Amino acid sequence: MTVTGTPVGDVDLAVVTPVGTRRSHPLPLLLAHDGPEYSRRAHLLSVLRGATSDGRVAPTRVVLLEPGPRNERYAANPDWAQALTQHVLPAVRTAYASSGKPALMGASLGALASLQAEWLHPGTFGSLFLQSGSFFRKRVDDEEDFEFWHRVTAFVTNVRRVRRRRTDARVVMTCGTGEGNLANNRQMAQALAGSGHDVSLAEVPGGHDWRSWHSAFDPHLFDSLARETPR
């Protein structure tokens, strides 16, 4: 599908529906930032098929989001959050029946974009699966040369300043013990917990790469999806 007329231009995506189901069958919905990469390099679809066959996850329709101009969209851009929640998601739900609130996942900047989408449009998603999020902070991360550094740090600071729960979404975070984002992920998890959010952080072996993100699916992605309940 291509969703046109969004605040960030056209958004390309692919919808993968379980074998034996039709568009009219209401199924849980999972949207994945960097979807084609998640499928190709982290084997997301095959992992979910296996988990479904084992009865660990309900049959789930997966939306693989093409990143397009990735840094511009994913680096704490409120226009992307609006495009995703107000344009892409309604278009998918018009074309395919769904049950409950959708889940949203992403890695690195995709995790940041996932949190911002629900943060700016609370109540849209039932669960967030955030891997190695780029939750950059001044005096913590050596990323000042990143072109959207100020936009990212401003959003992270805003999240950390909140004292009351902003979303009821279940937030499941994973981060490799050998990567540079571990400190800011720990701090983000602490900040979200301190403001009353339902959050967990799993520190897993590995680094900032697709192999490590794949390895963290079991059990953490499964836990995120299994704990989502229709609302």
Side-chain angles (χ1 to χ4, degrees):
M1 295 176 60
T2 297
V3 181
T4 61
T6 87
V8 297
D10 293 352
V11 177
D12 295 321
L13 58 92
V15 180
V16 182
T17 194
V19 173
T21 64
R22 298 183 178 183
R23 290 173 179 254
S24 59
H25 292 166
L27 298 177
L29 193 64
L30 169 64
L31 287 78
H33 284 103
D34 295 304
E37 292 290 282
Y38 254 124
S39 176
R40 182 169 58 251
R41 302 182 65 180
H43 312 294
L44 173 65
L45 298 178
S46 60
V47 168
L48 286 176
R49 279 196 298 269
T52 301
S53 297
D54 294 341
R56 302 180 66 185
V57 174
T60 300
R61 192 168 281 125
V62 182
V63 179
L64 303 176
L65 298 165
E66 292 273 4
R70 185 176 187 273
N71 288 358
E72 168 62 32
R73 288 182 174 181
Y74 288 3
N77 184 348
D79 287 343
W80 171 250
Q82 183 179 355
L84 181 63
T85 60
Q86 308 300 309
H87 296 262
V88 173
L89 183 56
V92 171
R93 296 183 103 170
T94 297
Y96 296 87
S98 62
S99 63
K101 291 186 178 182
L104 180 62
M105 66 183 291
S108 193
L109 286 175
L112 176 74
S114 297
L115 178 61
Q116 189 188 45
E118 174 64 17
W119 197 260
L120 297 183
H121 304 273
T124 302
F125 299 97
S127 64
L128 304 175
F129 184 62
L130 313 180
Q131 297 195 273
S132 305
S134 298
F135 305 123
F136 298 150
R137 294 192 65 207
K138 299 175 182 178
R139 298 182 296 278
V140 173
D141 298 289
D142 186 22
E143 298 284 350
E144 288 88 348
D145 292 337
F146 178 57
E147 57 185 325
F148 299 111
W149 166 260
H150 294 292
R151 198 166 71 187
V152 172
T153 55
F155 170 69
V156 171
T157 297
N158 177 266
V159 173
R160 292 178 55 82
R161 286 177 175 171
V162 168
R163 293 294 175 261
R164 295 183 180 180
R165 186 169 62 189
R166 185 175 180 86
T167 170
D168 291 329
R170 166 72 174 158
V171 182
V172 175
M173 303 170 60
T174 73
C175 195
T177 54
E179 66 165 287
N181 278 350
L182 183 57
N184 65 52
N185 273 252
R186 286 172 174 169
Q187 293 175 1
M188 177 59 76
Q190 292 170 357
L192 290 171
S195 51
H197 293 85
D198 181 5
V199 59
S200 65
L201 170 63
E203 299 182 14
V204 298
H208 197 84
D209 54 65
W210 291 105
R211 178 178 295 182
S212 300
W213 297 329
H214 163 86
S215 298
F217 288 164
D218 187 358
H220 306 295
L221 174 60
F222 303 158
D223 177 63
S224 173
L225 296 176
R227 294 183 64 168
E228 168 58 2
T229 55
R231 298 174 190 175

